[in-house]
Amino acid sequence: MRLRRRGVADMIRETRLENDDLIYPIIVDDTIKDPTEIVSLPGIFRHTTEAAVSEAANVSELGVPAIILFGVPSYKDETGSSALTGIVQDSIREIKRQIPRLVVIADVCLCEYTSHGHCGLVDQEGYLAVDPTLSVLQRIALSYAEAGVDIVAPSGMIDSMVGAIRTSLDENGFTHVPIMSYSAKYNSKFYGPFREAVQSTYKFGDRSAHQMDPANSDEAIREVALDIEEGADIVMVKPALPYLDIIYRIKTSFEVPVAAYSVSGEYAMLKSAINLQYLDDTVIYETLLSIKRAGADMIITYFAKDIATMLPYI
Ligand code: PBG
């Protein structure tokens, strides 16, 4: 094909992956003294606050504009009370103080903080208690905003969670803090390495009551529509790679920024094959490019540092 010749090919390239598309996840852990590598995520560590600040500085220096923080608390209880004050709030404060230009996003969820590992408070029968959960999520989001977070990202897919958080942010003077909602979050086995890393594997039941059936696509459209109505500024699809059709459908159905979360299992899969030299590391580029081509405006990826290092040479 005449247009595929070198030079011309660059001019007609339809999709470009850039540093500005990337968000790097950072896990901060209140139970450790030194950064600890996650076995199933080679090259990814759980950090202390101090180590998270230097990791964030590193990320920013590589030209990645944003990070998303997850916390592992020093204790867990039935109500996830350690989510309200602790390592995530401290890390937000320190990172924003030392690297103000870095966009700091924080995951708002209870599963890392509850002793049963569910994303909210659970009633006597083991069902999620929606109203009490919403009020805790409001308080968590508010505590992040007070610590100086740039974006809050509620990830539990609890009914009405976006509206509840929007209302409490607005009432407390944080109208400027956007909400990135995990709107289309599938009940996926690709979260396995992350759950192991944050020890949030549930002790009973599963998340099928509030996370979506991988067989459904129309449902994702309904979920996104509801979240936008409740005030979501950015909507997310998670995982990314097995759900490119969902990213595409959402991008073509709505006029809001779409984020895709390329989750821990996607990283583990590629990283282990690369480490075994079964695959060339340029599959990282090809994979992230395909997520962008499908319609993602931004990609949360554990490969953010790797790809930022590779992009100038591609
Ligand atoms: C929930 C949350 C999860 C992930 C991000 N936020 C885990 C879950 O739903 O069990 C998974 C991220 C990944 O796999 O990389 N707080």
Side-chain angles (χ1 to χ4, degrees):
M1 219 262 252
R2 286 186 288 273
L3 290 176
R4 279 198 202 118
R5 292 162 67 119
R6 191 115 199 107
V8 181
D10 291 344
M11 293 168 69
I12 62 157
R13 179 163 301 127
E14 295 170 39
T15 310
R16 283 174 205 276
L17 186 68
E18 296 166 346
N19 283 346
D20 277 342
D21 305 323
L22 305 169
I23 301 169
Y24 184 66
I26 295 184
I27 300 173
V28 284
D29 188 337
D30 219 358
T31 68
I32 54 172
K33 295 223 157 49
D34 296 300
T36 308
E37 192 168 14
I38 301 161
V39 178
S40 51
L41 299 175
I44 306 296
F45 292 75
R46 292 182 279 132
H47 292 283
T48 58
T49 297
E50 205 185 0
V53 176
S54 53
E55 179 77 315
N58 202 348
V59 168
S60 178
E61 239 140 70
L62 285 169
V64 175
I67 58 161
I68 180 164
L69 287 173
F70 298 93
V72 181
S74 54
Y75 69 93
K76 302 188 187 215
D77 58 22
E78 296 264 296
T79 59
S81 59
S82 57
L84 291 168
T85 52
I87 189 153
V88 172
Q89 288 84 349
D90 291 348
S91 301
I92 294 169
R93 237 176 262 115
E94 261 323 286
I95 292 169
K96 287 307 295 182
R97 192 174 67 77
Q98 298 194 37
I99 318 148
R101 72 172 180 284
L102 187 68
V103 173
V104 176
I105 307 168
D107 185 76
V108 178
C109 195
L110 277 166
C111 63
E112 293 107 292
Y113 304 91
T114 50
S115 44
H116 42 67
H118 283 281
C119 300
L121 308 190
V122 174
D123 67 17
Q124 303 284 353
E125 274 101 60
Y127 289 107
L128 197 94
V130 175
D131 288 342
T133 298
L134 290 179
S135 82
V136 181
L137 294 178
Q138 286 177 316
R139 286 162 60 203
I140 299 174
L142 202 53
S143 72
Y144 292 166
E146 282 160 359
V149 85
D150 294 293
I151 301 176
V152 291
S155 66
M157 274 195 90
I158 315 289
D159 289 345
S160 314
M161 113 195 138
V162 172
I165 291 173
R166 184 72 271 157
T167 307
S168 88
L169 288 175
D170 290 350
E171 283 173 3
N172 289 281
F174 295 105
T175 49
H176 57 282
V177 175
I179 298 177
M180 173 194 277
S181 178
Y182 288 58
S183 306
K185 180 177 180 181
Y186 284 87
N187 184 16
S188 170
K189 289 292 178 222
F190 282 96
Y191 309 144
F194 176 91
R195 286 186 187 162
E196 183 203 310
V198 305
Q199 291 125 41
S200 77
T201 305
Y202 28 80
K203 303 284 184 296
F204 55 86
D206 62 24
R207 286 181 190 149
S208 57
H210 49 104
Q211 296 185 353
M212 288 175 30
D213 180 347
N216 294 354
S217 169
D218 290 348
E219 192 186 346
I221 301 293
R222 291 198 296 275
E223 290 284 354
V224 168
L226 278 174
D227 275 2
I228 293 173
E229 212 169 284
E230 288 179 31
D233 301 281
I234 301 167
V235 296
M236 192 199 294
V237 177
K238 180 184 166 196
L241 207 47
Y243 299 90
L244 294 182
D245 56 322
I246 308 296
I247 296 172
Y248 180 75
R249 257 191 96 178
I250 291 174
K251 187 61 193 171
T252 46
S253 306
F254 301 96
E255 270 100 41
V256 296
V258 177
Y261 194 148
S262 183
V263 300
S264 56
E266 298 174 53
Y267 175 88
M269 195 162 71
L270 288 185
K271 191 69 173 186
S272 51
I274 292 166
N275 286 352
L276 286 165
Q277 295 182 326
Y278 289 176
L279 289 174
D280 186 87
D281 68 0
T282 49
V283 293
I284 299 171
Y285 172 70
E286 189 177 333
T287 303
L288 297 176
L289 187 70
S290 72
I291 297 170
K292 177 128 191 236
R293 192 189 59 234
D297 297 289
M298 54 195 98
I299 307 171
I300 302 176
T301 171
Y302 300 89
F303 282 120
K305 290 194 304 177
D306 306 68
I307 193 69
T309 311
M310 290 163 75
L311 276 179
Y313 307 101
I314 287 173

